[in-house]
Amino acid sequence: MNPTFLPFAKPTIDEATIAAVGEVLRSGWITSGPKVQAFEALLSEYLGGRTVRTFNSGTCTMEIALRIAGVGSGDEVITTPISWVATANVILEVGATPVFADIDPVTRNIDLDKLEAAITPRTKAIIPVYLSGLPVDMDRLYAIAAKHKLRVVEDAAQALGSSWNGKRIGSFGDLVSFSFQANKNITTTEGGCLVVNHADEARLAEKYRLQGVTRSGFDGLEVDVLGGKFNMTDVAAAVGLGQMAHIEAVTTKRRALAQHYFANFGSDFEARYGAQLPVADFENSNWHMYQLVLPERLPRAVFMEKMMEKQIGIGYHYPPIHLLKLYRERGFREGMFPVAERVGRQIVSLPMFHVMNESDVERAVDAVKSVLSQ
Ligand SMILES: *Cc1c(COP(=O)(O)O)cnc(C)c1O
């Protein structure tokens, strides 16, 4: 038997959304317009009425958030080494200095004790990342920020649908950034959005995303900040509107799939195979990914190859940022963040997308156990 390939992630666009995109393409207005406004309004409604602005990637969303927070040259920004490199790149992009704090080995998110220890008089902002959709201790995070008078730019790229004690991520806090890249729980093909605190920040967001322009009357046009070209198109927003119709179902299904993973791995899995399961959280996490940390005895590349032979796609999220060449050139070295280095070397993402079924989970678990037994 040759089973069909099971990818680790897969976007699903329904027929109604495809039809809605067709309508936009035929309408004569394909760039930012009414669909973007409707998508921003829907996101705002989902996020407790806070103001939301959209962009053409999660990366530029983060960069604009840093600019709105006034982060620039001479400032330090603290973040985690285990994230997509975009999280640190945007700090460099605005001319600030990235400072890393090691991760917690259980949650794999930034360790808040180490974050607090890394604060200096030059620290201006912190960027927590909610890896696979699991938030950090949000009460503690905002207590640290208040105590040290720091801005928080939440890299909630993976966390749309996640919550903290019953409150949705994005419905509270400072500046909160989401991504709608193709593999995220909700996609616009590419895109992102930022939750801001008040109308002044919303106006700044609008300027930064479109060349710094403010229009008035029929022909009034002024530019007073250096903006770029970061606006979302109506084509993308139409995809997002169609996706948002399913967000509750997507989150519920992912939680059920995660639960099925735990049930099939069984309570003796970690002791028997020496691999580490994720935190079994079904209240807060949106289960953007289901990640294992492999035992050191098994090189990740070997594991991935053997899983591929069994027709199962495996991702790895992420290699430690501080060990990438661009960051080594800025003085970061092996040994600085030992937990991140160990986790970054051995972490793998198993198949997780909402149109998977329980038998797919069982197939993935059987394959993991079989590869780990060899
Ligand atoms: C996806 C992602 C980003 C970048 O978002 P893009 O939309 O791809 O630019 C940043 N940070 C994290 C944690 C992500 O998962």
Side-chain angles (χ1 to χ4, degrees), residues 167-189:
K167 291 177 295 182
R168 282 183 186 142
I169 294 296
S171 70
F172 64 98
D174 193 352
L175 296 163
V176 187
S177 170
F178 294 98
S179 164
F180 303 117
Q181 183 266 342
N183 282 342
K184 300 303 194 303
N185 290 20
I186 294 293
T187 185
T188 58
T189 66

Side-chain angles (χ1 to χ4, degrees), residues 57-59 83-84 86-87 129 155 157-158 179-181 184 190-191 318:
S57 76
T59 304
S83 181
W84 178 226
T87 310
V129 175
D155 185 351
Q158 304 183 0
S179 164
F180 303 117
Q181 183 266 342
K184 300 303 194 303
E190 297 286 359
Y318 293 95

Side-chain angles (χ1 to χ4, degrees), residues 102-111 114 131-132 134-135 262 270 276-281 287 291-293 339-340 342-343 347:
D102 208 349
I103 60 167
D104 178 296
V106 176
T107 66
R108 303 154 190 170
N109 284 327
I110 194 165
D111 178 325
K114 290 177 181 156
L131 191 67
S132 76
L134 181 72
F262 283 105
E270 293 185 324
Q276 186 203 30
L277 296 171
V279 176
D281 169 312
W287 289 99
Q291 298 183 289
L292 295 185
V293 177
V339 183
R342 177 178 62 77
V343 169
I347 199 165

